Amino acid sequence: MIHIGNIQLPDFPLLLAPMEDVSDPPFRAVCKANGADLMYTEFISSEGLIRDAAKSVQKLDIFEYERPIGIQLFGSDVETMGACAEIATRANPDLIDINYGCPVKNVACRGAGAALLQDIPKMVRMTEAVVKATHLPVTVKTRLGWDDNTKNVGEVAERLQDIGIKALTIHGRTRVQMYKGNADWTLIGRIKDNPRIQIPIFGNGDIDSPEKALEYKNRYGVDGVMIGRASIGHPWIFDEIKHYARTGEHRPAPTVADRVAVCRQHLDFSIRWKGEIVGLFEMRRHYANYFKGLPDFKPYRSRLVTTDSYAELGAILDEIQENYIPELV
């Protein structure tokens, strides 16, 4: 078993990555139902939470069936992050995670996310403030470094472990890479092999198939993997990896009926949690992913992303299920 503080996970757990505008409760629900072992909220701005901004506060919503679940925080000010951790703790998650990996400009260029990879002493102070502000396990997600000349995640791993973090997830790219090129897991493997490192090390980046998940487990020795983009529109990936690990065989690909059913579950939860207007609108980003690869799907996608009627959406989904019989897919 893998332990993060008092949290017990199965051997080689599969983690759902925190993704802005994606990993909200409706999306987490379908991933949990399909085998995700540990999930995180979308990242939450410490400044927004301190100001009681509605969007930041709403991201604190967690549900019992999601456990274990972590609330992920990001920010640029040490004291604010500590205060934010106290607020997040009151939402009763299982852990607090700190984002030191987000590469996007409006985060990194404001001194948060991956920007802290350029100031390790400040990263250490910020992490220590969060650890002291909560009784919950604190974990960190970060990258290899800012650029190819500053791959300092080895130092980060040791120093953050020394001040009390309970697990570390490493994305195998630098900030400068953003999401381009291939993730390099070599340094992740070296950190896992470091005898000083006693906390779980999870790898992240480019895990998009059962074969790759097991290959990277065996090659780099990581304690588990975090899956992000490959789960969007395909929450079955978690169960697919587990089935392949147990049997060495692939599960049948989800049918069109499976895709429609999970998409409908996602849509219904989106409406319950966000209200009909926002729930319908924000689901539009997901339809193309759920039905990726279906031939001649563009007209259906156009209809799905333009209607404001829940009843009409239901009718379109019924039509997709009826028209894409197995022989045509």
Side-chain angles (χ1 to χ4, degrees), residues 263 267 283-291 297 304-305 313:
C263 181
L267 170 64
M283 266 301 291
R284 292 177 177 178
R285 65 173 65 102
H286 293 284
Y287 295 124
N289 292 305
Y290 273 118
F291 300 108
F297 190 75
L304 288 167
V305 301
L313 278 170

Side-chain angles (χ1 to χ4, degrees), residues 15-314:
L15 288 61
L16 173 64
M19 294 177 283
E20 179 69 355
D21 294 329
V22 176
S23 52
D24 57 11
F27 181 73
R28 297 198 304 263
V30 297
C31 289
K32 184 69 174 182
N34 285 281
D37 295 307
L38 174 62
M39 305 189 297
Y40 301 83
T41 63
E42 301 171 80
F43 67 12
I44 300 173
S45 163
S46 59
E47 289 79 7
L49 203 53
I50 291 294
R51 294 195 312 269
D52 204 31
K55 185 174 182 180
S56 295
V57 172
Q58 186 185 37
K59 290 180 181 179
L60 292 174
D61 285 357
I62 55 177
F63 300 86
E64 283 301 310
Y65 65 81
E66 297 185 285
R67 297 190 185 278
I69 185 165
I71 289 176
Q72 191 187 70
L73 308 175
F74 77 97
S76 59
D77 181 78
V78 173
E79 290 184 5
T80 301
M81 280 289 283
C84 185
E86 294 180 6
I87 296 171
T89 298
R90 293 198 289 269
N92 197 29
D94 298 287
L95 61 85
I96 301 293
D97 188 74
I98 309 173
N99 183 313
Y100 293 137
C102 182
V104 300
K105 286 184 178 180
N106 65 352
V107 173
C109 292
R110 295 180 181 177
L116 274 299
L117 287 163
Q118 299 180 103
D119 191 346
I120 304 305
K122 183 177 179 181
M123 179 191 288
V124 171
R125 294 196 306 273
M126 184 177 289
T127 306
E128 189 170 26
V130 172
V131 169
K132 289 180 176 179
T134 182
H135 67 279
L136 297 170
V138 174
T139 63
V140 164
K141 183 173 189 285
T142 189
R143 289 183 168 234
L144 301 180
W146 182 258
D147 57 28
D148 285 341
N149 298 318
T150 56
K151 291 184 178 180
N152 50 12
V153 71
E155 177 188 355
V156 167
E158 291 187 1
R159 295 185 66 175
L160 297 191
Q161 176 185 257
D162 290 348
I163 59 171
I165 72 165
K166 301 303 182 183
L168 176 66
T169 300
I170 306 168
H171 183 108
R173 291 181 174 87
T174 64
R175 187 271 169 179
V176 169
Q177 280 184 272
M178 300 292 285
Y179 296 99
K180 298 175 182 177
N182 296 321
D184 179 5
W185 284 53
T186 306
L187 189 50
I188 303 175
R190 287 188 204 140
I191 292 168
K192 179 59 189 172
D193 288 340
N194 181 350
R196 276 209 62 214
I197 298 298
Q198 300 299 312
I199 59 174
I201 300 296
F202 303 121
N204 174 226
D206 297 349
I207 298 296
D208 57 8
S209 69
E211 291 94 338
K212 189 173 286 186
L214 271 293
E215 176 192 351
Y216 282 26
K217 172 192 176 185
N218 295 330
R219 182 186 302 179
Y220 301 107
V222 291
D223 295 291
V225 295
M226 179 178 280
I227 298 168
R229 288 174 291 172
S231 66
I232 301 174
H234 196 88
W236 303 274
I237 191 169
F238 302 99
D239 273 335
E240 289 172 349
I241 292 171
K242 292 180 176 181
H243 182 79
Y244 185 77
R246 287 194 309 268
T247 68
E249 298 177 352
H250 288 280
R251 276 192 164 170
T255 64
V256 173
D258 294 331
R259 300 194 208 187
V260 168
V262 172
C263 181
R264 199 187 300 272
Q265 291 166 14
H266 191 166
L267 170 64
D268 289 346
F269 196 151
S270 183
I271 291 171
R272 289 199 307 273
W273 187 59
K274 302 174 184 179
E276 184 165 349
I277 294 175
V278 177
L280 288 173
F281 178 78
E282 293 194 353
M283 266 301 291
R284 292 177 177 178
R285 65 173 65 102
H286 293 284
Y287 295 124
N289 292 305
Y290 273 118
F291 300 108
K292 185 177 181 179
L294 295 187
D296 303 317
F297 190 75
K298 188 174 180 180
Y300 284 112
R301 180 186 178 280
S302 296
R303 293 167 60 192
L304 288 167
V305 301
T306 53
T307 182
D308 294 322
S309 164
Y310 175 74
E312 185 176 347
L313 278 170

